[in-house]
Amino acid sequence: MQRETQKAQKRPQNLLLEDRGRLLVSGVTDVDSFDEGAVLLFTDLGALVIRGQELHIDRIDLEVGEVAVTGCITALIYDESRVKGGFLARLLR
């Protein structure tokens, strides 16, 4: 029951980018996919794509809603549609 209450409440969304090499994202609800070139996260504000080079996920804590990514971060892109198939199709073009 407590977990359902947590999901119903929106978490604050924060992005902390340090020197384009370390990113801490809060308010994450799910991690869809990741590789060295892109990380796809879902948040209450929509899907977030992190693009870059040599990306690594250092920490995932979905109970708290935080993800830490390191590497050379070149772009942060939001998509509010939150449609997984449609978003991924556009991402892979």
Side-chain angles (χ1 to χ4, degrees):
M1 182 91 176
Q2 183 182 5
R3 186 173 177 95
E4 291 174 3
T5 304
Q6 278 183 326
K7 284 188 176 187
Q9 296 174 349
K10 288 191 174 186
R11 300 178 198 184
Q13 175 79 57
N14 292 302
L15 302 171
L16 176 61
L17 180 61
E18 299 175 9
D19 299 324
R20 290 181 55 187
R22 178 169 169 73
L23 176 66
L24 179 62
V25 182
S26 65
V28 176
T29 58
D30 195 14
V31 177
D32 189 62
S33 64
F34 58 91
D35 61 28
E36 290 186 352
V39 178
L40 175 58
L41 308 174
F42 288 100
T43 73
D44 288 329
L45 299 177
L48 173 64
V49 178
I50 304 161
R51 289 197 181 169
Q53 300 166 347
E54 299 178 14
L55 298 178
H56 301 279
I57 295 180
D58 288 343
R59 182 170 47 104
I60 299 174
D61 187 346
L62 294 179
E63 290 291 321
V64 177
E66 290 185 347
V67 174
V69 178
T70 58
C72 180
I73 298 166
T74 58
L76 301 170
I77 305 163
Y78 275 101
D79 181 2
E80 295 180 16
S81 70
R82 295 171 63 165
V83 178
K84 292 183 182 183
F87 180 77
L88 287 176
R90 289 192 307 270
L91 179 65
L92 298 175
R93 280 186 196 171

